[in-house]
Amino acid sequence: AVLVVGGGVVGPAVLGKFIALAGGPDALIIDVPTAGGDSTYPSDWRGTQALKAAGARNVVVLHTIDRAVANSDSFVAHLRHAGGVWFEGGRQWHLVDAYAGTKTEQGFHEVLARGGVVGGSSAGASILASFLVRGARAGNATMVDAHYRQGFGFLRGVGIDQHVVARERLPDLADSVMPRFPQLLGLSEDEGTAWLVEGDTATIMGRNKAFVY
């Protein structure tokens, strides 16, 4: 399963579903804060609190900005036992710079391949798609950047936008992305709202609206 959240406050029902899909409260969940842009994150950083408040009892923070570390067997060891991976918000390009093409990215995919769940919110939602929206270093107003166009591809042939009602972004996929890349399926969702994708079926969860292009 892939859980795509549009940023903002993520309610306990959405996170509770993520935890259930990961294997329940005792399952190992990997929290990836790298999009936030800090050099280090403590094991109890604030981003883990929402997962723990929703019932997760076994949350491990995984973070580096060093690609050599991300390509090491020791760094990816926890992923071999994880039931879920959660990507926090921030800027998408940090995730690309740190993990794209490394053993860590491969480890993320292996969690999904063996029946686990990957999910994320805001930047952590956009990175889930094969086509990366708003990935530019220059700022999140740039919809498509030639150097940051490829996401992690848990959803193939898809581009994902987020915060679309709260930040008045609703036309952006339709106007700036879909005419140039008509082969894509566009997904977007507002804050606190999620697309839950299981196989080829998607369900909307949360407090507001989600959209398909």
Side-chain angles (χ1 to χ4, degrees):
V2 181
L3 190 64
V4 184
V5 186
V9 177
V10 185
V14 173
L15 286 178
K17 182 65 174 179
F18 177 83
I19 293 165
L21 290 165
D26 292 320
L28 175 59
I29 291 175
I30 304 298
D31 183 60
V32 183
T34 308
D38 290 346
S39 57
T40 61
Y41 291 87
S43 60
D44 60 347
W45 86 286
R46 58 179 175 75
T48 64
Q49 294 172 9
L51 286 164
K52 292 174 180 176
R57 292 194 281 262
N58 191 9
V59 180
V60 171
V61 174
L62 191 73
H63 168 71
T64 186
I65 57 174
D66 186 335
R67 289 180 59 82
V69 173
N71 217 24
S72 67
D73 291 332
S74 58
F75 186 76
V76 301
H78 281 300
L79 285 169
R80 299 190 183 101
H81 308 286
V85 179
W86 182 260
F87 296 96
E88 302 281 357
R91 294 301 316 284
Q92 295 89 308
W93 62 266
H94 290 297
L95 290 162
V96 175
D97 283 358
Y99 304 123
T102 69
K103 289 181 179 180
T104 298
E105 186 191 2
Q106 181 181 347
F108 296 151
H109 281 274
E110 289 171 355
V111 173
L112 184 62
R114 62 174 177 260
V117 57
V118 294
S121 184
S122 191
S126 290
I127 198 67
L128 301 173
S130 58
F131 187 94
L132 188 58
V133 174
R134 301 188 195 274
R137 278 176 171 260
N140 62 17
T142 301
M143 291 297 290
V144 180
D145 182 270
H147 302 290
Y148 291 93
R149 191 177 289 184
Q150 185 171 341
F152 290 161
F154 304 111
L155 297 178
R156 297 182 294 276
V158 171
I160 295 170
D161 203 5
Q162 13 77 12
H163 299 280
V164 289
V165 177
R167 299 186 184 179
E168 299 182 346
R169 293 175 168 180
L170 192 54
D172 291 353
L173 272 181
D175 293 347
S176 301
V177 178
M178 303 308 294
R180 294 176 59 191
F181 305 96
Q183 73 276 16
L184 292 176
L185 179 72
L187 297 178
S188 69
E189 56 292 322
D190 194 33
E191 294 180 357
T193 312
W195 282 103
L196 172 60
V197 184
E198 297 176 282
D200 291 323
T201 302
T203 307
I204 299 170
M205 300 180 63
R207 68 174 186 264
N208 205 346
K209 298 177 180 180
F211 307 86
V212 62
Y213 304 72

